[in-house]
Amino acid sequence: MAIESRTAATPASADQASDSLVVWERQGAVGVLTLNNPARRNVLSRAMLTELATRLRTASADRTIKCLVLRAAGPVFSAGHDLAEVRSASPAELESLFALCTQVMETLRLAPQPVIAEVQGLATAAGCQLAATCDLVVAAEGASFATPGVKIGLFCSTPAVALARAVPTKQALEMLFTGTPISAAQAERLGLVNRVVPATELAATTRELAERIAGASGDTLALGKQAFYAQLGLDRPRAYELAQGVMVDNAQREDAIEGMQAFLEKRSPQWRH
């Protein structure tokens, strides 16, 4: 299985602490989080998850950040949980570890900013879960996705939660039952990935998409993301009821009033938020 790597220059504004498992970088209104343990295939150890949770909470609270990008250093996006850590954990430690992982996934989903996963290589098990949890995924042609827990007797039950909400049921079950990796192109056909591009174009494509999103009102993006996920689990009448209430609220907000006025006046809107 070929996995393409990406080497990108890190802007001077980045947090480049060598011992940081998650590097934070701000590019205008776009925040970039980089998993930074390539020597261990960016495993989602307790330390990695703890740092990622902290970085995500800080980024989510900054409303001047309008879009987040989650990427990884090295040839592998993430190999999932640290199996040595899982194998040696007590029942209480296992419970807290998987709770922490769920907390990270929910922090991504509940963040007011849209989150784009930039996947340059293999995303497996909880690494696949991490990519699937993001709102959008841009992948390199050599990237692949897998939920191989069944092969070692540890079914990918928590990754299945994100996977089942990203791809059709039967395809999700085939991935879970066989553990066979799927290519970026297959993932795009299934709806797990939005775009597949050459590895050399991955960073630029992701950045262009993030900047396009960040050109919108942050308040409108946050309201829309929250409403989208809230209506997903509802039947159609209740989904419309919820969405109607959101539209009423949205239409009265400062940025919506400005946006509509700018459209009528044939000018660019000046967002307040």
Side-chain angles (χ1 to χ4, degrees):
M1 178 172 55
I3 300 172
E4 295 187 62
S5 62
R6 169 183 53 80
T7 302
T10 304
S13 61
D15 169 3
Q16 299 186 53
S18 60
D19 59 346
S20 180
L21 292 172
V22 181
V23 176
W24 165 255
E25 175 187 337
R26 178 167 184 152
Q27 301 173 350
V30 176
V32 180
L33 295 150
T34 303
L35 305 183
N36 189 40
N37 192 8
R40 298 209 58 220
R41 296 160 61 92
N42 295 311
V43 291
L44 297 180
S45 62
R46 186 183 297 273
M48 174 74 87
L49 288 167
T50 299
E51 191 165 340
L52 183 54
T54 299
R55 297 280 190 182
L56 282 171
R57 284 194 297 268
T58 301
S60 296
D62 186 347
R63 299 310 297 272
T64 65
I65 298 290
K66 295 185 181 182
C67 186
L68 293 172
V69 173
L70 179 62
R71 64 188 183 188
V76 174
F77 180 74
S78 176
H81 286 292
D82 183 341
L83 293 181
E85 187 176 65
V86 172
R87 177 66 184 83
S88 63
S90 68
E93 289 169 338
L94 284 174
E95 185 174 348
S96 67
L97 176 64
F98 288 116
L100 174 60
C101 186
T102 296
Q103 177 191 334
V104 167
M105 303 302 164
E106 285 297 274
T107 301
L108 280 170
R109 189 183 67 81
L110 296 171
Q113 302 92 345
V115 184
I116 306 171
E118 181 185 303
V119 182
Q120 86 289 11
L122 177 64
T124 185
C128 182
Q129 177 186 4
L130 187 62
T133 300
C134 292
D135 304 303
L136 303 173
V137 179
V138 180
E141 290 173 339
S144 57
F145 302 82
T147 49
V150 69
K151 294 182 176 182
I152 60 166
L154 183 63
F155 200 83
C156 286
S157 296
T158 44
V161 174
L163 186 64
R165 285 160 172 76
V167 305
T169 299
K170 293 190 185 301
Q171 282 76 19
L173 286 171
E174 182 174 344
M175 289 180 67
L176 292 160
F177 288 159
T178 68
T180 304
I182 63 171
S183 67
Q186 288 175 292
E188 184 181 29
R189 288 194 293 270
L190 294 179
L192 179 58
V193 167
N194 295 85
R195 300 182 188 181
V196 178
V197 298
T200 54
E201 299 174 15
L202 179 62
T205 300
T206 306
R207 178 64 188 271
E208 187 276 331
L209 179 58
E211 289 181 342
R212 191 187 312 174
I213 292 169
S217 156
D219 184 55
T220 303
L221 289 168
L223 187 67
K225 176 176 172 177
Q226 180 185 42
F228 178 83
Y229 286 115
Q231 62 81 32
L232 272 183
L234 303 176
D235 61 33
R236 189 163 57 199
R238 289 193 297 159
Y240 271 121
E241 182 180 0
L242 181 146
Q244 177 182 313
V246 173
M247 291 292 289
V248 171
D249 176 15
N250 195 169
Q252 299 175 78
R253 295 197 179 198
E254 191 174 26
D255 276 353
I257 293 170
E258 161 62 13
M260 290 185 282
Q261 188 63 34
F263 178 82
L264 293 171
E265 294 175 358
K266 296 181 173 54
R267 61 175 174 82
S268 298
Q270 300 298 311
W271 306 125
R272 271 63 164 181
H273 305 285

